[in-house]
Amino acid sequence: MDMEQLLLERTNRRVVARDPRSTERFLDLYRLMWRIRAFEIAAEENAAAGHIRGMIHSAVGQEAVAVGVCRNLLQHDLITSTHRNHHHALAKGVDPVAMMAELFGRDIGLCKGKGGSMHIADFNVGMIGANGVVAASIAIAAGAAQALRMKGSDSITAAFFGDGGMNRGQCLEALNYAASYRLPVLLVCEDNGWAATTRTSSVSAGPGTTARAQALGVEACSVDGNDIEAVDQVARELIGEIRHGAGPRLLHCRTYRLRGHTCADLAAYRDRSEVEARWKDDPIERCRSLLKELAVLPGRIEAIQVEEDLLISQAVAIALAASWPDVNEAFLDIQSAGALA
Amino acid sequence: MSTTTMTVVEAARTTLQDEMRRDSDIWVLGEDVRHGGVFGQYKGLVDEFGPERIVDTPIAEATIVGAAVGAALVGTRPVVEMRFSDFALSAMDEIVNQAAKIRYMFGGQGKVPVVIRMPSGLRGNSAAQHSQSLEAWFAHVPGLVVTAPATPADAMGLLLTALRGEDPVIHLEAKELWQISGEVSDDGPSVPFGVGRMVRRGADLTIVTWGTALHEAIRAAESLGKGGVSVEIIDLRTLWPWDRGLVLESVSRTRRIVVVHESVRDVGLGAEIAATVAEELHETLTAPVRRVASPRIPVGYSPSLENAYRIRAPKIIETVSSMLGIEAAGPFATSPASAVSAQY
């Protein structure tokens, strides 16, 4: 059996009869995916208009990974994320208004305008930090999991990272660390195929992400990351195993970055035909097809979209109207010793 | 107030042990800590606290510090053993971009009370990758506290403050000072960050120093005293935030200052202190600010090469004498580590 077949074994096992309540669940997942898509498009538009100043990394096309994983986490579970983190944060329950305001750099932002898009955090919902350094979020997640276990908590921690991150020493170090102590961590490799402007496969040796994890004894599986049902089901299984003390698991989600690396990147280094083909695999379209299969009336889907679009347009309006942080804020939250009074 | 005589390594170990008894959120992670650490700093602790709180790690400095950051964010107080400060360079992203920045980037949502212990400086011909003193690197980074105890009492007091504080602390422990002895108060008082210690009073000149160099400065001052020169010595103890008030008050009286440190002089921390004094007390100074510090060379292996980096009393005496326009006293015996330890 070749490696890919082996890895997909778990995925194939998922084909079970759908729970009668699954319609409501998929509507919930769809709502979040749509929220993320609307948020990202609004962010892109406002970056183009100059309202969002810094770099943003759009997650358009990668919504199913975030939603499928985070909707299987509990409120007191934690996540860490990367420079491309909006979808993870929203899926974990971060308020889109405070998050949009953070992208706008306003004082009511999640991080008081100090972090911006790459440093989203909301400790109240277990989002303990996005990270601007590739693969840096994994060790932080491992340490959080280790400490929570020490304190007797049943929380688990999910670390999102990209395919590019798999080539960092920090990723391999942290994978070994998590495995050595059997830490309650879900490592989610969101493989969008591109490490900034470089095709990841062109600079990555060996049979792939899951094989690297398996080499360290970490059970790993690969799923179609644009299939919300697959991500949802496999993530639920893995999270259940982790919570019952099985140690770390790695979930490799195959998806695609439909946008450039940043919103300023037109991605001219790849064929337009490649991107057009990938749009046919849009996870939101696929989820909508699933809802149709489940006989959900189009009106219900439409209503969800309208509600979420309204929420995001309100977030933009609130962010635009909010104030810049007071300049004194630049000198606060640095450290306690010797801090300005 | 009763006191006990102990070495730096004993003071540090006792402090950690007492704090771990008091606070179950304190735990240690690093290489070979169950074995007691390279210098015996953790000797016996695993017997009392078990392998869950005295955690041996893989040789993976980046992940050790990264994990400590995550553990701190969820409410524990990790103590990281870096083995040698030189090895912290493998964890600079985790120290500089993560530990130091998270509180700020997230708008104050998370604090990172991590104590990163770094055995630092020269120790017996360890050559270029096991001998560095990198305080200037860390003091440069907003968000970090940098401590450099030079006595058993400060080894205790500063570690205590670090273990009860809210900041990531780079705790530089001079390897040549592990075995010096001194009086330590039995009630274990903490030493606040940013408060220097007036080691001796003097009228003619102020020496500002820290770490290993403190002990050479004391020898120099004693020798100069015999010639009638009255030298004041300040041990900064905390390198960030450093005690500007104490230094400026002293220099406003003595009107002369030499900064002494056993780490590279160029773009070093001494330059920051010199610049501050020059900015604040230009009219008061009767001599240019001087620095006695290591040359900008990697530390060589051979004793003759290593000594080129070392800061010794004769060089301090020579510099002080020239500032005061007097002739330096005769040849001064060089000071091996054993002579340093004999003073305490």
Side-chain angles (χ1 to χ4, degrees):
Chain A
M1 194 189 300
D2 74 12
M3 184 60 71
E4 190 73 358
Q5 280 300 310
L6 196 71
L7 301 178
L8 289 173
E9 200 182 341
R10 183 194 285 268
T11 315
N12 294 338
R13 267 196 288 126
R14 77 180 168 77
V15 184
V16 291
R18 286 187 185 121
D19 188 289
R21 290 163 300 179
S22 61
T23 299
E24 289 310 309
R25 175 158 187 89
F26 287 122
L27 278 168
D28 168 66
L29 299 178
Y30 184 79
R31 174 185 290 280
L32 262 179
M33 287 171 67
W34 188 268
R35 177 181 300 175
I36 292 164
R37 178 67 58 91
F39 185 98
E40 293 296 60
I41 289 171
E44 290 167 359
E45 287 170 358
N46 281 280
H51 296 309
I52 293 175
R53 310 294 182 100
M55 279 180 288
I56 59 167
H57 302 81
S58 173
V60 165
Q62 302 177 208
E63 296 88 350
V65 176
V67 173
V69 171
C70 290
R71 276 317 230 193
N72 285 293
L73 295 171
L74 303 176
Q75 173 81 15
H76 65 280
D77 290 333
L78 307 179
I79 64 167
T80 64
S81 178
T82 72
H83 54 283
R84 196 178 313 281
N85 62 74
H86 303 164
H87 52 329
H88 306 138
L90 291 169
K92 189 66 174 73
V94 172
D95 171 22
V97 177
M99 190 162 134
M100 188 64 83
E102 185 62 29
L103 267 57
F104 276 67
R106 305 307 167 112
D107 62 354
I108 59 164
L110 276 172
C111 305
K112 307 179 194 168
K114 293 180 177 181
S117 164
M118 280 190 282
H119 307 300
I120 295 299
D122 186 350
F123 282 47
N124 292 323
V125 298
M127 169 47 168
I128 63 166
N131 213 302
V133 176
V134 169
S137 61
I138 309 170
I140 293 173
Q146 190 171 19
L148 287 170
R149 184 175 67 184
M150 198 181 301
K151 288 168 84 74
S153 167
D154 74 337
S155 291
I156 77 149
T157 306
F160 288 94
F161 55 99
D163 41 302
M166 274 308 284
N167 285 331
R168 286 212 76 211
Q170 270 84 340
C171 178
L172 299 172
E173 273 191 24
L175 198 55
N176 175 61
Y177 189 92
S180 295
Y181 303 117
R182 294 173 62 84
L183 298 178
V185 183
L186 177 64
L187 301 140
V188 184
C189 179
E190 185 170 315
D191 184 350
N192 67 20
W194 289 91
T197 67
T198 302
R199 200 181 289 278
T200 309
S201 59
S202 71
V203 291
S204 303
T209 300
T210 45
R212 290 188 188 183
Q214 286 161 341
L216 297 174
V218 174
E219 195 172 312
C221 56
S222 185
V223 295
D224 177 350
N226 285 6
D227 177 352
I228 184 64
E229 188 178 20
V231 179
D232 178 46
Q233 182 135 6
V234 177
R236 186 182 315 131
E237 284 178 28
L238 296 181
I239 287 165
E241 290 166 16
I242 294 166
R243 206 181 300 282
H244 286 97
R249 294 285 186 262
L250 185 140
L251 176 59
H252 175 240
C253 298
R254 304 183 305 276
T255 180
Y256 190 78
R257 196 188 74 203
L258 290 170
R259 305 294 206 214
H261 173 56
T262 67
C263 60
D265 172 20
L266 300 174
Y269 41 81
R270 61 186 183 188
D271 280 350
R272 188 174 295 176
S273 60
E274 174 181 322
V275 182
E276 282 166 4
R278 291 294 194 149
W279 267 109
K280 298 196 175 91
D281 193 40
D282 177 5
I284 289 186
E285 285 300 328
R286 288 178 65 179
C287 188
R288 193 158 32 215
S289 301
L290 178 64
L291 292 171
K292 282 180 190 157
E293 258 181 65
L294 293 165
V296 175
L297 295 174
R300 253 193 112 181
I301 298 172
E302 182 69 21
I304 285 173
Q305 294 174 184
V306 168
E307 283 169 24
E308 293 300 321
D309 286 345
L310 181 63
L311 175 66
I312 298 304
S313 63
Q314 284 170 340
V316 169
I318 292 168
L320 253 180
S323 304
W324 299 113
D326 187 279
V327 66
N328 292 320
E329 193 60 51
F331 300 90
L332 303 177
D333 299 324
I334 300 170
Q335 60 188 69
S336 297
L340 299 177
Chain B
M1 188 173 65
S2 61
T3 61
T4 306
T5 300
M6 59 175 76
T7 61
V8 167
V9 73
E10 287 166 348
R13 187 172 57 230
T14 305
T15 304
L16 180 59
Q17 186 173 28
D18 289 348
E19 288 297 288
M20 287 183 75
R21 285 174 183 163
R22 187 187 60 79
D23 183 352
S24 63
D25 283 331
I26 298 174
W27 60 294
V28 176
L29 70 166
E31 299 154 16
D32 301 325
V33 291
R34 286 167 65 175
H35 185 65
V38 175
F39 305 99
Q41 318 93 299
Y42 305 96
K43 198 174 166 189
L45 296 187
V46 71
D47 300 330
E48 178 170 352
F49 301 109
E52 293 293 314
R53 290 179 71 194
I54 303 291
V55 178
D56 269 351
T57 62
I59 302 172
E61 286 79 9
T63 289
I64 295 168
V65 179
V69 170
L73 288 176
V74 299
T76 66
R77 293 179 168 277
V79 175
V80 173
E81 175 53 44
M82 273 285 101
R83 194 179 192 114
F84 287 86
S85 66
D86 314 70
F87 302 166
L89 302 184
S90 292
M92 283 307 263
D93 175 65
E94 287 69 19
I95 295 170
V96 176
N97 282 327
Q98 314 299 338
K101 301 291 195 300
I102 277 177
R103 180 169 172 181
Y104 189 84
M105 290 192 305
F106 300 161
Q109 289 184 74
K111 295 190 177 83
V112 188
V114 177
V115 182
I116 307 178
R117 299 179 68 179
M118 299 192 191
S120 187
L122 303 177
R123 185 172 188 265
N125 312 110
S126 299
Q129 297 175 338
H130 291 70
S131 301
Q132 293 171 88
S133 295
L134 298 169
E135 63 265 33
W137 287 48
F138 299 113
H140 185 75
V141 177
L144 298 178
V145 169
V146 183
T147 50
T151 64
D154 288 342
M156 175 171 281
L158 288 169
L159 186 57
L160 202 67
T161 301
L163 290 169
R164 295 178 181 185
E166 299 185 314
D167 295 319
V169 177
I170 306 298
H171 192 59
L172 301 170
E173 302 181 283
K175 298 199 285 285
E176 283 193 341
L177 300 180
W178 281 123
Q179 295 305 326
I180 67 165
S181 297
E183 296 287 305
V184 169
S185 170
D186 289 339
D187 60 7
S190 66
V191 174
F193 292 146
V195 178
R197 180 170 73 99
M198 181 62 74
V199 178
R200 56 180 279 159
R201 292 251 170 212
D204 297 328
L205 179 141
T206 301
I207 290 177
V208 175
T209 188
W210 57 88
T212 313
L214 166 68
H215 302 279
E216 291 299 309
I218 292 170
R219 289 163 65 80
E222 284 169 355
S223 174
L224 286 159
K226 289 175 192 152
V229 177
S230 170
V231 173
E232 184 150 304
I233 297 179
I234 292 171
D235 175 5
L236 280 185
R237 309 194 288 188
T238 309
L239 306 184
W240 196 274
W242 62 279
D243 196 342
R244 286 167 54 105
L246 184 65
V247 170
L248 294 175
E249 185 281 324
S250 170
V251 179
S252 68
R253 283 186 285 105
T254 64
R255 308 175 76 181
R256 297 178 188 87
I257 175 173
V258 185
V259 188
V260 181
H261 55 85
E262 196 171 79
S263 49
V264 171
R265 190 191 72 154
D266 306 66
V267 203
L269 198 54
E272 174 65 26
I273 294 157
T276 302
V277 170
E279 282 170 349
E280 300 292 329
L281 297 173
H282 176 69
E283 300 296 326
T284 309
L285 292 170
T286 59
V289 180
R290 297 288 298 274
R291 287 173 288 164
V292 176
S294 306
R296 190 172 185 274
I297 54 173
V299 176
Y301 165 70
S302 172
S304 64
L305 304 177
E306 187 181 80
N307 284 342
Y309 187 94
R310 231 173 245 290
I311 296 307
R312 290 176 152 156
K315 178 70 178 165
I316 303 169
I317 293 168
E318 188 188 309
T319 302
V320 170
S321 300
S322 78
M323 289 173 73
L324 294 167
I326 57 175
E327 207 169 305
F332 195 97
T334 53
S335 155
S338 58
V340 172
S341 84
Q343 295 175 55
Y344 279 84

